[in-house]
Amino acid sequence: GQSLEQPSEVTAVEGAIVQINCTYQTSGFYGLSWYQQHDGGAPTFLSYNALDGLEETGRFSSFLSRSDSYGYLLLQELQMKDSASYFCAVRVGETTDSWGKLQFGAGTQVVVTP
Amino acid sequence: IAGITQAPTSQILAAGRRMTLRCTQDMRHNAMYWYRQDLGLGLRLIHYSNTAGTTGKGEVPDGYSVSRANTDDFPLTLASAVPSQTSVYFCASSESPSGEQFFGPGTRLTVL
């Protein structure tokens, strides 16, 4: 079967750095996405890694190692507004389905304290 | 409108009733998706459509049906609601095959 593992909660202070790890077991892997969701809100896209390596977007960076079935999201210079749930999602599909579909992890609650 | 709209925002429904959740996007995206989100389980894909006229089953399709008559609309129907379908339902769309999807604001559904 397919599975994704990520920590359930991480707590850090403002200005700190947080790394959220995501390991996956899946077939037909195309890439790894990260989404942010504030309480009661819609998930919003943060990043997508299809190839190995680090992608940087402002204070957030995402990393993928396909050989290790592992990725992480790095949140730097934490701000109070970063308190939210963060989901990793694998894009998977069959060779006949080039679009693929997203399968989400259970999410990591990031709590930022003053 | 801009983006994805969903209706209703919330609904309380008696078990056994039929219900259609509406989703409309104005971005002309080819692909659309329906997810349900339950506490501690993340988002699970119910049904999807890669283009108008085609649909497919996701992880948890039982008890739900969809149609995609045009690019903009992707309604989700519960033929006979059951309490286990109590959840928050999100509609999403994507322009191209990638990991980026745009989500609507969600519909909170309670089945009693």
Side-chain angles (χ1 to χ4, degrees), chain B residues 1-49:
Chain B
I1 58 173
I4 299 180
T5 58
Q6 293 185 235
T9 301
S10 65
Q11 182 76 43
I12 298 174
L13 190 66
R17 297 296 296 269
R18 180 184 178 89
M19 176 74 191
T20 295
L21 308 185
R22 300 185 298 280
C23 174
T24 299
Q25 53 110 354
D26 67 352
M27 298 176 284
R28 308 301 294 172
H29 285 175
N30 286 308
M32 297 186 75
Y33 313 86
W34 273 106
Y35 295 90
R36 60 177 290 173
Q37 186 174 29
D38 304 294
L39 194 63
L41 292 180
L43 292 107
R44 292 183 291 169
L45 182 65
I46 304 171
H47 285 288
Y48 67 96
S49 168

Side-chain angles (χ1 to χ4, degrees), chain A residues 33-35 37 40-45 47-48 87 91 97-107, chain B residues 30-31 33 35 37 40-43 45 48 50 59 90 94-101 103-105:
Chain A
S33 295
W34 289 92
Y35 285 79
Q37 185 180 34
T44 56
F45 172 79
S47 67
Y48 177 64
F87 295 89
R91 180 172 160 244
D97 175 16
S98 64
W99 279 86
K101 295 175 282 290
L102 291 184
Q103 181 179 356
F104 284 79
Chain B
N30 286 308
Y33 313 86
Y35 295 90
Q37 186 174 29
L41 292 180
L43 292 107
L45 182 65
Y48 67 96
N50 284 345
E59 300 172 64
F90 287 100
S94 61
E95 181 179 22
S96 61
S98 74
E100 181 175 10
Q101 294 182 5
F103 283 79

Side-chain angles (χ1 to χ4, degrees), chain A residues 10 12 15 31 39 44 48 50-51 76 85 88 90-91 110:
Chain A
V10 173
D39 277 349
T44 56
Y48 177 64
L51 303 174
Q76 302 181 78
S85 290
C88 61
V90 291
R91 180 172 160 244
V110 172

Side-chain angles (χ1 to χ4, degrees), chain A residues 29-105:
Chain A
F29 176 84
Y30 289 157
L32 183 69
S33 295
W34 289 92
Y35 285 79
Q36 179 192 61
Q37 185 180 34
H38 287 98
D39 277 349
T44 56
F45 172 79
L46 293 176
S47 67
Y48 177 64
N49 294 63
L51 303 174
D52 286 359
L54 188 69
E55 297 277 347
E56 298 180 76
T57 308
R59 295 186 297 113
F60 295 176
S61 303
S62 58
F63 172 83
L64 175 65
S65 169
R66 295 173 71 111
S67 60
D68 295 323
S69 297
Y70 163 76
Y72 66 72
L73 179 70
L74 194 70
L75 289 65
Q76 302 181 78
E77 301 173 21
L78 273 179
Q79 301 176 9
M80 295 298 291
K81 67 179 182 180
D82 297 330
S83 290
S85 290
Y86 293 82
F87 295 89
C88 61
V90 291
R91 180 172 160 244
V92 297
E94 306 294 333
T95 55
T96 57
D97 175 16
S98 64
W99 279 86
K101 295 175 282 290
L102 291 184
Q103 181 179 356
F104 284 79

